[in-house]
Amino acid sequence: MVTKLPKVDVVTTGMGWTGGIIAAELTKAGYKVVGLERGVERTIEDYLHGHDELKYNIHKELMQKLTKDTITFRNTLDEEAKPVRDENALVVGTGTGGGGAHWGGQTYRYFPYDFEIRSKTIEKYGESKIPEGVTIQDWGLTYDEIEPYYSKFEQMAGISGEVDPLAGPRSIDYPTPPLKKLTQMKMFHEAAEKLGYHPFVVPTANVSEAYTNPDGETLNACQYCAFCGNYGCEYGAKADPIVTVIPTAKKTGNFELRTNSLVTRVLYDGKKATGVLYKDTRTGEEFEQPADVVVLTSYIFNNVRLLLLSGIGKQYNPKTGEGVIGKNYTDHHTITGAIGYFEEKKFNSYIGTGSLGSAYNDFNADNFDHSNFDFIHGGQIEMHLMGNEPIANNLVPMGTPMWGKEFKKNSLHYFYRNLMVVSQRAILPHKNHYLDLDPTYKDDNGDPLIRVTFDYTEHDHKRNEFLVEKCAEVVKEMGADIIDTIPMSEHFGGRFTFQHDAGGVIMGDNPDNSAVNNYLQMWDVDNLFVCGASAFPHFGPTNPTPTVGALTYRASEGIIQFLKNGGGQLNTAK
């Protein structure tokens, strides 16, 4: 028996960054919002005494348990996908805060090139430069159009940073100064500058000083304790939905948070979304929540899954190229680069944050001429000091036995004598990489799991080989005595480690090649909005959260306009 509840203006399907931003902006505008969250409610008190590597980093306390729900994975269309069961291989947040509770806080903007990647590539190099099978497309908006929303996210989150001299133009500086520049960072800057590059201190949501945001929420100064990624911040020094946008929504009196509420369907009458169906995970009771506007704000796998389970949109078919739901899936998890070992230098390996570090973008986007290279786009060269927790970190030079006397000797000797320079790089979509419903495996509700089909392409390997060489170059300039490079494996092995996934409900300027417009409004169902990295037509070079936040702020403006106008498409298809 399904209990039908009173209608509200807006219902959301998760309470991480996207759900929190929608709730804050819509409730401030006077609309009634119900936020449904499958996990429990957390407050900052739940983060206290949380410096426990085994509990949070190894056992993944803040993450979805894969015995309840997971995905299946395969590399090619001919393989049978298998469920991902290793909790270190699939990291997806649950509970209020979602991925925003356990993120490290790296807060980069994408480049102007990213938003018009197809047009700009063809304009400069010709269409033949785009590798065969690569399905890049423009995003349906420009950097200049998204820039104010990047700024809004940064001001809300108190971002501490130094402006990247090669980035797109900014309307306002970061609201707080950059974090402290430690010894390794000073070495990185000096080496990069000697090589002619343009280093900067990484922008971060681990704020450098106490800050009160425009909504009146206060963040405290970072303590450099290094318990960031995979942890909640017990100091309240990391921007997190539970200390920013969710409290803002609650203060309006227009927001109702319902936890332990798993959304299983979007209710759809063939023209409009009429609400959602959800289940209380404690009692098994089912409820119908009617709403004027439905906003999907869960992680990308669930956004796609809800659309497919609800019969909304046309499933992408890689053999024909028809359909858009599930199209252009990209994964951004493999980190490659170079490790430097030093005989005479010792570093403090414990101080750090989830995003303390330095980077340069001389080989990112189209910041360098690709005419003589057989790949497009690039990546960021970066060094992060996140604090080397002793269970997860035990680097020794290649060739060292993995047990025994020599391993112990090198482990102790190099623990304070190493640093790593890596590249985060863009991942471009391919016609054979997509999401759909698995024909075999189901969750404990009897619904099909999402199936991921993804592998590395020859194009990915060429880009990566170039960037690994650039990582080793700066490590050598820093004076390392031993340099080991970290290559990309031949095939993607199914480790979805960092909650960096994108695509499946991609944005664009017409319904033939996209599922949503540049307000993240479904072309087919005008009162249904889908927020998150599921909208990315390709994965840009760095962490997705700032772009997700910016697009969601823009979507919130569109939803307000939609409600004021009494409905209708916010964009005209081109």
Side-chain angles (χ1 to χ4, degrees):
M1 190 72 178
V2 177
T3 301
K4 188 171 183 177
L5 302 170
K7 190 177 186 181
V8 295
D9 297 316
V10 178
V11 63
T12 69
T13 64
M15 285 308 299
W17 274 124
T18 55
I21 289 170
I22 293 295
E25 295 304 294
L26 270 292
T27 55
K28 286 191 296 182
Y31 296 101
K32 298 292 184 182
V33 177
V34 166
L36 300 174
E37 167 56 50
R38 68 181 176 185
V40 300
E41 181 174 12
R42 294 193 184 96
T43 68
I44 193 170
E45 284 73 24
D46 294 302
Y47 296 158
L48 298 177
H49 315 295
H51 292 187
D52 186 334
E53 183 187 4
L54 185 64
K55 181 177 182 180
Y56 291 97
N57 199 24
I58 305 302
H59 292 162
K60 310 298 182 188
E61 176 71 15
L62 298 181
M63 313 306 175
Q64 167 183 304
K65 300 305 177 187
L66 304 188
T67 53
K68 293 286 187 183
D69 194 12
T70 186
I71 62 175
T72 67
F73 162 72
R74 62 182 182 172
N75 287 128
T76 68
L77 304 182
D78 298 328
E79 294 176 359
E80 180 183 352
K82 299 295 184 183
V84 178
R85 298 299 188 193
D86 180 357
E87 291 188 350
N88 289 301
L90 177 60
V91 175
V92 178
T94 192
T96 50
H102 68 79
W103 73 315
Q106 297 178 40
T107 317
Y108 312 100
R109 298 180 175 195
Y110 287 172
F111 288 83
Y113 174 74
D114 282 295
F115 299 100
E116 301 173 271
I117 184 170
R118 182 174 177 83
S119 296
K120 287 182 177 293
T121 299
I122 293 172
E123 178 184 347
K124 187 171 181 179
Y125 304 107
E127 190 167 0
S128 62
K129 186 69 173 177
I130 300 172
E132 183 180 358
V134 169
T135 55
I136 54 172
Q137 65 185 55
D138 295 350
W139 288 39
L141 84 174
T142 65
Y143 175 85
D144 289 342
E145 289 174 302
I146 197 175
E147 194 283 331
Y149 305 101
Y150 271 130
S151 294
K152 190 167 186 176
F153 180 82
E154 292 163 357
Q155 298 298 311
M156 175 276 294
I159 302 305
S160 300
E162 182 175 52
V163 174
D164 173 7
L166 300 181
R170 304 177 59 90
S171 58
I172 189 171
D173 201 353
Y174 292 111
T176 53
L179 293 174
K180 298 179 186 297
K181 194 183 291 185
L182 302 189
T183 299
Q184 301 97 306
M185 296 164 64
K186 292 175 183 177
M187 292 168 59
F188 180 89
H189 279 248
E190 182 179 349
E193 288 169 355
K194 281 184 179 179
L195 292 167
Y197 305 142
H198 301 82
F200 60 95
V201 177
V202 165
T204 171
N206 319 127
V207 299
S208 60
E209 62 186 26
Y211 173 75
T212 300
N213 76 11
D215 292 319
E217 312 300 344
T218 297
L219 294 161
N220 300 315
C222 179
Q223 303 299 300
Y224 298 86
C225 73
F227 290 89
C228 285
N230 292 329
Y231 302 84
C233 181
E234 69 176 4
Y235 302 110
K238 178 174 73 175
D240 173 336
I242 73 165
V243 295
T244 53
V245 287
I246 294 176
T248 296
K250 287 183 174 181
K251 289 174 185 177
T252 66
N254 292 324
F255 176 63
E256 181 184 353
L257 172 64
R258 296 183 198 151
T259 55
N260 302 291
S261 299
L262 176 66
V263 177
T264 57
R265 295 292 188 277
V266 176
L267 300 173
Y268 175 55
D269 66 8
K271 294 182 179 180
K272 299 281 186 181
T274 59
V276 298
L277 181 70
Y278 73 93
K279 182 176 82 169
D280 187 314
T281 57
R282 298 160 298 186
T283 66
E285 294 177 274
E286 286 191 302
F287 298 89
E288 178 183 341
Q289 179 56 68
D292 290 324
V293 172
V294 175
V295 190
L296 302 190
T297 55
S298 51
Y299 193 54
I300 83 149
F301 297 133
N302 203 46
N303 281 351
V304 174
R305 189 182 186 211
L306 280 172
L307 292 175
L308 294 176
L309 289 174
S310 305
I312 298 173
K314 185 177 181 180
Q315 167 71 58
Y316 171 70
N317 183 334
K319 295 180 179 179
T320 66
E322 297 176 348
V324 292
I325 306 301
K327 182 181 178 180
N328 280 28
Y329 170 76
T330 48
D331 170 90
H332 191 245
H333 293 95
T334 301
I335 299 294
T336 58
I339 305 168
Y341 297 92
F342 297 78
E343 299 298 340
E344 303 301 327
K345 287 187 171 68
K346 293 182 73 174
F347 309 113
N348 184 331
S349 296
Y350 293 103
I351 190 171
T353 82
S355 46
L356 177 65
S358 299
Y360 56 86
N361 279 310
D362 296 73
F363 301 105
N364 211 341
D366 200 37
N367 292 342
F368 64 108
D369 190 348
H370 288 70
S371 296
N372 296 323
F373 294 97
D374 49 5
F375 62 86
I376 57 175
H377 215 305
Q380 176 170 277
I381 309 299
E382 60 187 39
M383 181 186 67
H384 287 287
L385 307 176
M386 299 181 181
N388 287 345
E389 297 164 306
I391 300 175
N393 296 275
N394 204 343
L395 294 175
V396 291
M398 289 183 181
T400 301
M402 294 313 294
W403 60 279
K405 184 177 181 180
E406 186 179 353
F407 170 76
K408 292 177 182 178
K409 177 185 175 182
N410 283 351
S411 175
L412 292 171
H413 179 71
Y414 288 112
F415 188 82
Y416 301 103
R417 293 179 170 89
N418 74 78
L419 53 79
M420 187 183 300
V421 174
V422 300
S423 175
Q424 290 198 72
R425 71 273 184 265
I427 296 292
L428 305 185
H430 188 274
K431 65 180 182 180
N432 290 336
H433 299 163
Y434 70 108
L435 304 175
D436 67 348
L437 295 176
D438 192 280
T440 304
Y441 294 97
K442 295 177 170 57
D443 67 9
D444 55 4
N445 294 314
D447 286 330
L449 301 180
I450 272 289
R451 178 171 64 177
V452 177
T453 304
F454 180 78
D455 202 0
Y456 300 135
T457 65
E458 181 182 3
H459 182 254
D460 293 326
H461 281 285
K462 289 175 179 177
R463 185 189 309 107
N464 189 73
E465 288 167 6
F466 172 80
L467 292 168
V468 167
E469 289 178 4
K470 295 302 177 183
C471 292
E473 176 190 46
V474 73
V475 171
K476 180 179 180 180
E477 188 67 34
M478 293 170 75
D481 297 292
I482 301 171
I483 301 173
D484 288 340
T485 57
I486 312 166
M488 176 188 281
S489 59
E490 182 179 357
H491 296 286
F492 178 66
R495 297 191 69 81
F496 304 84
T497 314
F498 302 118
Q499 202 166 337
H500 286 199
D501 303 274
V505 196
I506 60 175
M507 61 191 295
D509 61 14
N510 73 80
D512 293 332
N513 65 5
S514 57
V516 296
N517 63 27
N518 62 27
Y519 286 98
L520 308 188
Q521 178 188 33
M522 291 284 294
W523 291 109
D524 299 338
V525 187
D526 65 10
N527 70 329
L528 178 58
F529 293 73
V530 186
C531 297
S534 53
F536 293 9
H538 73 272
F539 210 114
T542 47
N543 307 61
T545 302
T547 305
V548 169
L551 289 172
T552 304
Y553 271 115
R554 179 176 170 82
S556 70
E557 281 192 6
I559 295 167
I560 292 170
Q561 182 181 336
F562 176 88
L563 289 166
K564 286 181 176 179
N565 293 345
Q569 275 293 325
L570 298 168
N571 282 154
T572 302
K574 293 184 179 179

